[in-house]
Amino acid sequence: MTKFTYNAFNADSQHKTGRVEAEDRDAALKILAKQGLKPISLKKEGGFDPNNLQFGFLKRKSIKAKDLAIFSRQLSTMVNAGVPLVRSISLLAQQAENKFFKDALDAIAKDIEGGEQLSVSIAKHPKIFSPIYVNMVAAGEAGGILDDILKRLAFQQEKDASIRKKIKSASAYPAVLIVVTGGAFFGLMLFIVPQISNVIKDVAGEDAVLPIYTVILLNISSFMVNFWYVIIIGLGLAAFLFLKYVKTPKGRYNFDKILLKTPVVKTVITKVAIARFARIFASLMGAGVSVLDTLSVTAKAIGNKVIEEELMNASETVRNGQPLSEPLGTSKVFPPIVAQMLAVGEETGEIDTVLVKIADFYEEEVDALIDGLASIIEPIMIIIMGAMVGLIAVSVLGPLSSISKSI
């Protein structure tokens, strides 16, 4: 007889867990059916079970923002309809296609059934639920407005996902062009230029006087042909050291600082950061979270260490009794209009309403900026690619043509 552990619902839609002994999986399912249980999961204890087999490199350890937004909206609807929280989450776990997310929801349902609050339980799964999500859920539980908070979370995640999608979409084409341009360059330097170099030497001889730019190009080509493995190892090592450095606190800060000084990139990052700050801050304030806690959580969610440091410094100013609009008014990142609108919100007591308007404005700005960049990147990349090929052609074919004429 084999032992199986199960998660199931009984006829009263109550969640049940336990063990059952049976000859095989089918027999175990029949036993549970006779007991009036509808299994959510059935796992063999010990040994090999192909139904439970998971390869580590294939198992997804994260979920899409879209999936989390749908979960938040569905949970909000069920809570608003009066469905018990344990049952709501268990039902949503059954519908989850992502195994990692499904297992997390099953664990959360068990914790809540054991008496834990939802915010405490989801905090155990930081790869799925961010500190913002946890704080807003905690505020919703405290204020008895969990369904409304979940709606806000869903809307916020949808907006965030929309901006990310636009940025990825706009950067996909330039990335392809960069790869194609790099591939064309290496192809020419490794295969075409060496052949033309041999022709020049055969026709003009080893002592032929060539233009300096042609000599440089031929030397680069010769180095790449003879020491290609050094280039590959060097590029790989440089990428490894760069990624390792960026993962350190100082490295990440310096990298983010460079990004905020890079033309065009600075504008995109700043507008996205302001939109995210305003949207998250408004959601947390609307949920009843204190200003200091809101600033702390929001700062860490921006995704840029320089802006995070600025917001944490602003938090200290607020702690000393000054309004948030004052430190933001002297900010090097946030434009004056943000501080001015925030000051109006502080005077009228409608900070969250004003911040939502700021978020809407800057999200529209991001959309327009990305659309504009996408329209000009294509011709720029084509010009760069043409200039690269033209330079190689002039450097190699020009001298070859001159030699041919002299002959």
Side-chain angles (χ1 to χ4, degrees):
M1 299 291 281
T2 306
K3 292 183 179 180
F4 295 88
T5 57
Y6 66 84
N7 285 298
F9 284 106
N10 61 16
D12 297 324
S13 298
Q14 293 178 332
H15 186 248
K16 299 290 182 182
T17 59
R19 297 180 181 178
V20 61
E21 290 188 8
E23 292 182 0
D24 54 29
R25 189 180 186 85
D26 291 336
L29 289 172
K30 290 178 181 178
I31 292 172
L32 292 176
K34 288 180 180 178
Q35 295 176 359
L37 296 174
K38 296 179 180 179
I40 302 170
S41 64
L42 183 66
K43 296 181 180 180
K44 182 179 179 182
E45 287 190 348
F48 173 77
D49 184 2
N51 293 293
N52 298 328
L53 185 61
Q54 288 280 345
F55 293 99
F57 61 91
L58 292 177
K59 190 175 181 181
R60 288 181 60 189
K61 293 291 186 181
S62 62
I63 69 166
K64 296 179 181 177
K66 177 183 175 183
D67 293 337
L68 189 58
I70 291 172
F71 162 78
S72 302
R73 202 168 287 285
Q74 290 177 333
L75 184 59
S76 170
T77 302
M78 296 173 81
V79 170
N80 184 261
V83 181
L85 195 55
V86 174
R87 186 182 175 191
S88 298
I89 293 176
S90 297
L91 289 172
L92 292 174
Q94 294 179 55
Q95 301 174 15
E97 296 179 0
N98 186 310
K99 180 69 167 56
F100 178 61
F101 192 31
K102 175 178 168 45
D103 290 343
L105 292 179
D106 284 333
I108 290 168
K110 284 184 181 178
D111 289 342
I112 295 172
E113 191 175 32
E116 278 192 359
Q117 288 187 316
L118 176 61
S119 56
V120 175
S121 181
I122 62 176
K124 297 177 182 178
H125 306 276
K127 290 184 178 180
I128 298 175
F129 302 100
S130 66
I132 297 167
Y133 200 105
V134 174
N135 276 272
M136 286 188 67
V137 168
E141 289 175 323
I145 51 171
L146 182 59
D147 56 335
D148 183 54
I149 292 300
L150 289 168
K151 277 184 187 177
R152 290 191 185 205
L153 281 167
F155 182 74
Q156 175 186 311
Q157 288 152 3
E158 287 163 357
K159 284 286 186 180
D160 204 33
S162 176
I163 291 176
R164 288 183 183 179
K165 185 178 179 181
K166 279 185 174 291
I167 293 173
K168 286 181 180 179
S169 178
S171 60
Y173 185 72
V176 171
L177 282 179
I178 289 171
V179 171
V180 170
T181 303
F185 176 77
F186 280 99
L188 288 170
M189 298 299 285
L190 291 173
F191 302 107
I192 306 301
V193 173
Q195 297 299 323
I196 298 176
S197 175
N198 292 333
V199 172
I200 293 175
K201 290 177 182 178
D202 290 341
V203 174
E206 295 286 346
D207 299 328
V209 179
L210 301 173
I212 185 63
Y213 52 81
T214 302
V215 174
I216 293 173
L217 189 70
L218 293 179
N219 287 335
I220 292 173
S221 175
S222 176
F223 178 83
M224 291 176 68
V225 170
N226 295 319
F227 300 101
W228 57 268
Y229 54 90
V230 175
I231 296 173
I232 293 175
I233 293 173
L235 290 174
L237 183 61
F240 172 77
L241 292 175
F242 172 74
L243 292 174
K244 190 173 182 180
Y245 176 70
V246 168
K247 287 181 179 178
T248 63
K250 184 179 178 180
R252 178 63 189 276
Y253 181 87
N254 289 333
F255 179 67
D256 287 343
K257 194 173 182 179
I258 292 171
L259 289 179
L260 287 176
K261 292 182 178 180
T262 306
V264 182
V265 175
K266 172 188 175 180
T267 305
V268 175
I269 290 176
T270 302
K271 289 182 183 295
V272 170
I274 293 171
R276 184 175 294 174
F277 160 78
R279 182 75 61 190
I280 294 171
F281 199 97
S283 297
L284 289 170
M285 286 292 291
V289 181
S290 68
V291 175
L292 291 176
D293 289 340
T294 297
L295 272 173
S296 177
V297 173
T298 305
K300 294 173 184 176
I302 294 298
N304 186 288
K305 289 295 181 182
V306 177
I307 300 175
E308 178 183 335
E309 182 183 63
E310 191 159 296
L311 288 175
M312 294 307 293
N313 291 336
S315 176
E316 290 301 316
T317 304
V318 173
R319 193 187 302 275
N320 293 330
Q322 294 183 7
L324 179 59
S325 56
E326 287 194 15
L328 291 189
T330 58
S331 169
K332 295 180 181 179
V333 177
F334 292 86
I337 189 173
V338 175
Q340 291 167 9
M341 291 187 69
L342 191 58
V344 173
E346 289 169 341
E347 290 175 7
T348 59
E350 296 183 352
I351 295 179
D352 54 335
T353 303
V354 170
L355 286 171
V356 167
K357 291 180 179 179
I358 293 174
D360 290 338
F361 172 76
Y362 277 97
E363 282 165 3
E364 290 177 4
E365 288 277 299
V366 170
D367 290 345
L369 180 62
I370 291 173
D371 291 339
L373 287 174
S375 64
I376 65 172
I377 283 175
E378 180 178 352
I380 289 174
M381 293 302 300
I382 291 173
I383 291 170
I384 292 173
M385 186 183 296
M388 180 195 71
V389 175
L391 179 63
I392 294 175
V394 170
S395 301
V396 178
L397 299 181
L400 185 61
S401 176
S402 299
I403 293 170
S404 300
K405 287 179 181 179
S406 64
I407 293 174

